Amino acid sequence: MNSRWWFYSVLTGASLVFAPLLLLLFAAMLTYPTLPSLETLTDYRPKIPLRVYSVEGHLLGEFGEERRALVTINEVPELMKQAILAAEDDRFYDHGGVDFKSVLRAAYSNFTAGGAKQGASTITMQVARNFFLTNEKRFSRKFNEVLLAFKIEGSLSKDEILQLYINHIYLGQRAYGFSTAAQVYFGKSLQQIDLAEMAILAGLPKAPSAYNPVTNLKRAQLRQTYILRRMHELGYIDAAQYDAALKFPILVKRNGSSEFAIKADFLAEMVRQVVYEQYQEATYTQGIKVYTTIRQKDQVAAHSALRKGVLEYDSRHGYRGPEGFIKLAKGSTDEVLEDALLEVTDSEDLIPGVILEMNAKGIHVYTRGGQIIVVDEEGAKFARPQPGEKVALKRRLRVGSLIRVKQTEKMTWQIVQQPQVEAAFVSGNPKDGAIYSLVGGFDFNRSQFNHITQAWRQPGSSFKPFIYSAALEKGFTPASVINDAPLTDAPMMVDKDGVVTTEAWSPRNFDGTFEGEIRMRRALYMSKNLVSVRILQAITPQYAQDFVTKFGFEAAKHPPYLTMALGAGSVTPLQMLSGYAVFANGGYRVNPYFIQRIEDGNGKILSQAAPVTVGRNAERVLDVRNAFTMVNMMQDVVNHGTAFRATQLGRKDLAGKTGTTSDSMDAWFCGFQSTVVGVAWVGFDTPRSLGEQETGGGAALPIWMDYMATVLKDVPEAVYTMPPGMVAERINEDGLRDPEGTRTEYFYQENLPPLREKSIIESIVDQLF
């Protein structure tokens, strides 16, 4: 009886043990054939974003839901792989896809907790889940995950599985894969990051949001410390590496900073719009690559020059006060300060911070990540009121003030502010229109309005060369004498709600003075408004309106009124680039373009630029003699006139024209050397005066100069050769040919000025001798 009881007891116990196992085995047999094909893994084709490159192949930008950069397992640093294993699955190379010890531990924990509270996913299981399953914590999902892990392990090698994981895992900030995350968080390639940074990245898969170093660096560092400790325990690193990694400063890229080494946000957005128009949603998923005409050296120089120029302008007009105020309770923690700065966007090197203390040593400022910097007296001078100046409370610095700081070249700190003024710069090749650099505004993150293509502004005096060029075709010469004198009650056509009326107009020169009769050359380089108006009167506004279309301007944007002489029409900086290129290339019309070629994800060329090029298929729109004469006169703008400051570059081959509109609302400089044209503009989005003393030569020209100083370094000086059909003659101050004249001037062969009449004495001497 007892033996029979024991038999049934053992049988019952065995049934309780083996029945679930048999049931699981049966379920596995039924489920396994229904598992998804592994073709997604063996033929891995993730969503690859649109990528935009410079002409040298440097990444300028990317667009897509998923930021992703694929790497092979051999390209991944060994320490990076070990950091991942220490964080996620240190027995990865030992188990067959499922770590049963961890599974049993998790199962016991979940059973005692009364629900699915803890997981034991291996890297293989995470690959299965990320590719084929959801994240819901259900037994059925986990069962399928285990079966898929076995299937994956049977089809792929360990390195292939780890490579999929490294490329596919989501790591926050729209970054998929560790290579992309290295760029997003640290602005470095995977091969460039330090062990400490590797540990930060390795901590992200567990909870990308919770351990995001951008939003919660302290929590990310707690996870980092755990991973470094595990790496040390597992023998991946020694004690010295462990200690060094713990001390390594983590510098995370913040919002407003770019993961791209070259700042070209406005150009990249222009590319995106062009590609999307053609490929629609496939733009963001098929790995399309766009190689632009942007040159790294030019773009870096343009971006730096524009920011420097804008900040210099801003500093000339005084401190407007802190951006805000944060009430700090006694003993405010770093978390409080971090939360206060969370909504404040960075603007590259203009770093937001909160004043913690002001004492004799300086102003102590808290910046993101817990860094406290000290601004000395010199660095705070810009924000200090002048002696005797009454300053409103909101403009004063005090504890809790939200300010901006910038590090100087001497590694000290200074108080700065977000500029209100805007600016734009574009440069290109005058021979074929290729855009070399394009900066559409001070900060793309602050405003995506592209001033290069979207801002229709008055060009002011920078438009005068086109009027003068038209005058040359009407018989004027650089030696023509025009009266620089007041012009009162000149008829000015005004369009009021579609009704054109005539009003009296009395234009004046910028400096309010007049020189009387002067040669056309001097009138241009001294930017004499009254002379320009009289020239336009002579050739007629209607003729000039038609003539400027040769340079790419829209006739409708330049009504045929006398105000056209002073640049009262509307242009974009890109149009000005195109217009000045005609002068620089000897009279040919070229069209600006910025895309060299477009490739698909496999490198197949989808489209290739075929620009019109000078000397090959570009259309001549201007007599070469006209172009030469205008270049020569604009060289004098630099050598003797309103752009004299540019002589600091030490070159004789620069030409251009400054532009300042009424009430100094816009400041321009458009200029060139034979190999590159550049256009700089400064102004407010809502037009208002830049300041009484602000001009194109003071606000825009320095930007152009800083750019040219970089890109023309080591470029030989160009020589502009007088073309056939022209002669060089000596002239006097009256613009007449004179063998004894002190100046040399260039003329069309058929349009020479008369010889100076000889005096009676000179005539007698000629007869006698």
Side-chain angles (χ1 to χ4, degrees), residues 23-33 143 147:
L23 191 61
L24 282 173
L25 182 61
F26 181 69
M29 292 173 64
L30 291 176
T31 304
Y32 196 85
F143 182 65
L147 293 179

Side-chain angles (χ1 to χ4, degrees), residues 146-158:
V146 169
L147 293 179
L148 274 169
F150 288 134
K151 188 174 184 179
I152 291 169
E153 290 274 350
S155 302
L156 300 175
S157 70
K158 285 289 188 179

Side-chain angles (χ1 to χ4, degrees), residues 259-328:
E259 61 265 34
F260 311 112
I262 306 171
K263 289 288 293 182
D265 301 309
F266 290 96
L267 187 282
E269 173 58 19
M270 289 168 66
V271 170
R272 185 199 68 79
Q273 292 176 15
V274 170
V275 177
Y276 183 81
E277 190 173 335
Q278 188 170 357
Y279 298 102
Q280 299 296 304
E281 291 304 317
T283 297
Y284 307 121
T285 60
Q286 300 304 305
I288 294 173
K289 299 175 183 176
V290 180
Y291 290 87
T292 69
T293 59
I294 294 295
R295 303 191 304 192
Q296 178 189 21
K297 183 178 181 180
D298 294 67
Q299 184 65 25
V300 171
H303 179 261
S304 174
L306 183 139
R307 292 207 37 117
K308 177 186 173 188
V310 169
L311 290 173
E312 285 178 350
Y313 164 87
D314 193 65
S315 68
R316 292 196 294 271
H317 293 270
Y319 189 58
R320 294 181 296 275
E323 293 182 24
F325 180 77
I326 298 165
K327 192 172 183 179
L328 300 178

Side-chain angles (χ1 to χ4, degrees), residues 510-524:
F510 181 80
D511 60 4
T513 64
F514 304 96
E515 293 189 26
E517 293 190 342
I518 61 173
R519 290 171 293 109
M520 193 167 88
R521 175 183 289 273
R522 178 172 172 80
L524 180 65

Side-chain angles (χ1 to χ4, degrees), residues 189-243:
S189 70
L190 200 55
Q191 292 74 27
Q192 292 173 323
I193 59 175
D194 188 89
L195 170 60
E197 295 165 327
M198 292 178 184
I200 289 283
L201 297 184
L204 290 168
K206 182 177 178 67
S209 178
Y211 297 116
N212 185 328
V214 172
T215 57
N216 200 327
L217 182 58
K218 287 198 170 183
R219 188 180 294 173
Q221 287 177 313
L222 288 174
R223 177 76 174 151
Q224 172 206 39
T225 301
Y226 163 75
I227 292 167
L228 290 170
R229 186 173 67 249
R230 287 289 297 143
M231 292 181 75
H232 185 223
E233 291 169 353
L234 293 166
Y236 296 152
I237 59 175
D238 58 30
Q241 289 175 295
Y242 174 70
D243 292 336

